Amino acid sequence: MFIALKLLGSLALLMFGMKGMSEALQKMAGPQLRHVLGAMTTNRFTGMLTGTLVTASVQSSTATTVMTVSFVNAGLLTLAQAISVIMGANIGTTLTAWIMSAGMSFDISIVSYVGFFLGIILIYLKSHRYIGDFLFGLGLLLLGLTTLRLTGNEMDLGHNEAVLGFFQSFNPHSFMTTLIFLILGGVLTFCVQSSAAVMAITMILCSSGALPIYQGIALVLGENIGTTITSNLAALSANTQARRAALAHMFFNVFGVLWILVVFRPFINMVCGWVGFDVNMGKDTVSAATFAANTAKLSFVLAAFHTTFNVINAGILIWFIPQIEKFVCWVIKPKKVDEEEDFRLHFITSGIMKTPELSVLEAQKEIQSFSERMQRMFGMVKELLNESSSLMGKQKNDDSFNKLYSRIEKYEGISDNMELEIAKYLEQVADAHLSDETKGKIRSMLREISELESIGDACFNMARTISRKYLGKQDHFTDSQYDHLHQMMQLTDNALTQMNRLMLGRKESFDANRTFNIENEINNYRNQLKSQNIIDVNNHEYTYAVGTIYMDLVNECEKLGDYVVNVVEARMGIRQR
C-alpha cells in the first residue's frame, strides 16, 4: 500500500509540475507566442514548424491547439493552416517523452532541488516570479520522475511473478495483443486525462523488464488516440471550427496508428537499432548487469519511437492538408441557427480552455463579437426609423415594422445574456493565478461588456420610442426632423465603426482622438438641435409632444456616443473621465 501511494503521489507531482511549467511559460510569453503563431503560418510547412516550436516551448499541445482554434475563429488563420499547426504540435509534444526518459535513466534529483531553491528566491523577488514558477514546476516534474524511478526499482516489477504472469498471458506475437494494449493505452489516457502520466507508467514497466517493448509501444500509440478523444469531447459544446480542428487532430493520430500497425515490428526494430537496444536479448542468455544495461535503454526507445512516428506521420499528411480540410468540413456541417435566436456564445467554450492566460484571449474574441452585434442592432434602429416614416398613413401594425421591432427586442435580450455570461466566465478566470497584466485586462474587459450592454439598452430605448410614435396618434416628424435624426444617427454609427475598428485591431495602431472628436461633434449637434427644437415648438412647426419624442431619440444617440467612448477608453487603458 505504501509503495502504491508513493507511485500515485509521484505521478501527481509529475502532472502538477508539468502544469506549473506550462502556465508559467505562457504567462511569460503568452502575447508573444500568439503573435508568432499568427505571423509564422504563411504556408503549411512554416505552420507545422511554428506548432512544433510553440508546443516545445510551452510543453502543452493543448495550449497550442486552443490558440490555433481561436485564430481560426477570428479569421486570422484558415482551417488548413490550423491543421498544419496542430500537426506540428504533435511533434513538439514529444519533447516531454525525452525529458521523462532522461529522468528515468539518470539521477537528476539534484537538479530538482536547485530548481526549488532558485525558484522560491525568484518568486519572493516578485519581479521575476514567473521564472520562479517555471523553475518550481520543473523541480516538481524532475522530483516526480526521480521518485517514479526509485519506486519502480523498489517494486522490482521484473521479478514480480504476478505482474510477469499477467503480461506473459498475452501472446507477444499476436496482432490481437497489440490491439488490446493499444485500446488499453487510449482508455488509460482518457481516464487519467494526461498522456504524460501514462507515458511515465509505460516507461517504468518497460525499464523494469516486466512489459515487452512491443506492448509498451502499443500503449504509447493508444495514448496518442486517448488525448484526441478528450479534445473531441471538450469540443462538443464548441463552435463548428473548433470541432473541425479537434476532428482533424483525431484523424491525424488515427491515420498514423493505422499505417504503423502495418509495419509495426520492423519499424520498432529499426528504432531499437538506432538507440542500441537488443530486442532479442533474454534474461537467461546474458549476465544480470548486461540485461539491466540493455533494459535501461527502453525509456529512450519509447521517446525515439514517439518522435520518429509523429515526424513521419506529419511528413506524410502535410501533403494532404486540403483533403483533410474537405473531409472534416464534410463530416461536421455548420449549424443552421437563426442568429437572432442564437444565445450561445461563439468563442467561450467550457472544457477546452486549460490556462487562464488563453481564456482571456477567448473572452476578448467574444467581446469583439458582442461589439459587432451592437452595431448591427443600431443599424436595425436606423432601419426601423425609415420603416416608420415610409409606413405612416398606411395600416398600423404593419408586418415588416413589427418583425424588425421584434428582432431589435431579441437583440436586447441577447446583449443582456452576453454580458452576464462573459462576466461569469471572466470571474471564473480571475480565480486562477494571473499575471498583473492579465488582471488589468480582465478589469478592462468587465468595463467593456458593461458599456456594450448599455449600448444595447440605448438602442432598444430608441426602438421603443419609434414604436410608441408609430403606433400612437402623434403627428409625423417634419422633413427637417427626419434629416436631423439621420445626421445624428450617422455620427453615432461612425462612432460605433471606430469602436469596432479598435476591438478587431491592435490598440497600438488606433488613434483614440478620432472617437473623441466624433463624440464632440455629437454633443455639439445635440445642443444645436435642442435649441432649434425650442424655437420650432414656439413657432408651431410641430407639437410639443412630437418635439419631446424627437429629442428623446437625439438624447439617446448622445448617450450611446458616451458609452462608445467608455468602451474605447477601457480598451485603450485610459481611466474613466
Side-chain angles (χ1 to χ4, degrees), residues 5 21 57 96 117 123 139 153 170 172 315 338 346 361 434 505 510:
L5 287 174
M21 280 176 59
S57 299
T96 305
F117 177 70
I123 288 170
N153 294 338
F170 296 95
D338 181 9
H346 293 284
L361 176 66
L434 301 170
F510 182 79

Side-chain angles (χ1 to χ4, degrees), residues 161-447:
E161 295 300 327
V163 174
L164 289 173
F166 173 75
F167 289 123
Q168 287 171 1
S169 66
F170 296 95
N171 183 357
H173 304 289
S174 170
F175 180 72
M176 185 58 66
T177 299
T178 302
L179 286 180
I180 290 171
F181 277 86
L182 191 151
I183 294 168
L184 182 62
V187 171
L188 280 174
T189 305
F190 175 70
C191 293
V192 178
Q193 294 283 299
S194 172
S195 59
V198 180
M199 175 67 85
I201 293 171
T202 307
M203 285 184 174
I204 287 177
L205 290 170
C206 288
S207 298
S208 66
L211 180 66
I213 185 61
Y214 298 111
Q215 281 92 309
I217 285 179
L219 281 176
V220 171
L221 291 174
E223 293 159 19
N224 271 27
I225 296 177
T227 54
T228 64
I229 294 172
T230 303
S231 61
N232 273 271
L233 288 176
L236 287 177
S237 61
N239 54 53
T240 302
Q241 292 293 65
R243 288 184 290 122
R244 286 172 175 170
L247 179 62
H249 191 198
M250 176 177 274
F251 176 86
F252 177 84
N253 284 0
V254 169
F255 175 84
V257 168
L258 290 176
W259 72 257
I260 202 69
L261 287 175
V262 177
V263 292
F264 190 63
R265 285 180 177 268
F267 191 89
I268 294 173
N269 292 339
M270 178 186 70
V271 174
C272 290
W274 291 347
V275 177
F277 173 77
D278 188 348
V279 182
N280 299 313
M281 184 182 292
K283 278 185 182 181
D284 303 328
T285 58
V286 294
S287 66
T290 305
F291 183 77
N294 191 48
T295 54
K297 298 175 183 176
L298 277 170
S299 59
F300 287 104
V301 171
L302 290 169
F305 171 82
H306 198 207
T307 302
T308 307
F309 163 69
N310 279 293
V311 168
I312 293 176
N313 197 33
I316 295 171
L317 288 178
I318 197 169
W319 304 102
F320 300 97
I321 286 178
Q323 288 75 22
I324 296 172
E325 181 183 21
K326 289 179 182 176
F327 171 74
V328 296
C329 290
W330 174 73
V331 172
I332 299 178
K333 302 287 194 303
K335 294 179 180 178
K336 295 180 180 178
V337 182
D338 181 9
E339 186 184 15
E340 281 71 49
E341 301 292 344
D342 185 11
F343 286 80
R344 182 179 59 83
L345 299 178
H346 293 284
F347 300 98
I348 294 174
T349 51
S350 60
I352 275 196
M353 306 312 298
K354 295 291 183 184
T355 57
E357 302 289 330
L358 294 173
S359 299
V360 171
L361 176 66
E362 294 296 280
Q364 186 60 55
K365 297 289 185 294
E366 200 66 67
I367 293 173
Q368 290 171 3
S369 173
F370 192 1
S371 178
E372 290 176 326
R373 193 185 287 267
M374 290 303 94
Q375 186 166 16
R376 287 199 299 273
M377 184 178 181
F378 184 72
M380 293 177 200
V381 174
K382 291 168 65 179
E383 191 180 342
L384 191 73
L385 179 65
N386 293 333
E387 285 282 333
S388 68
S389 64
S390 63
L391 294 171
M392 279 295 185
K394 299 183 180 180
Q395 184 181 1
K396 298 297 181 184
N397 298 320
D398 184 87
D399 285 344
S400 61
F401 183 90
N402 289 335
K403 284 180 181 177
L404 190 54
Y405 181 78
S406 296
R407 287 182 69 196
I408 295 171
E409 191 172 25
K410 287 175 183 176
Y411 259 65
E412 202 276 333
I414 291 173
S415 71
D416 290 344
N417 189 64
M418 289 187 77
E419 181 198 17
L420 292 173
E421 290 298 318
I422 297 172
K424 180 181 175 183
Y425 182 78
L426 288 173
E427 286 171 2
Q428 292 173 350
V429 175
D431 289 337
H433 297 292
L434 301 170
S435 63
D436 292 337
E437 181 187 0
T438 305
K439 288 176 183 175
K441 282 182 182 176
I442 289 179
R443 285 193 295 270
S444 296
M445 291 160 76
L446 288 169
R447 182 180 163 198

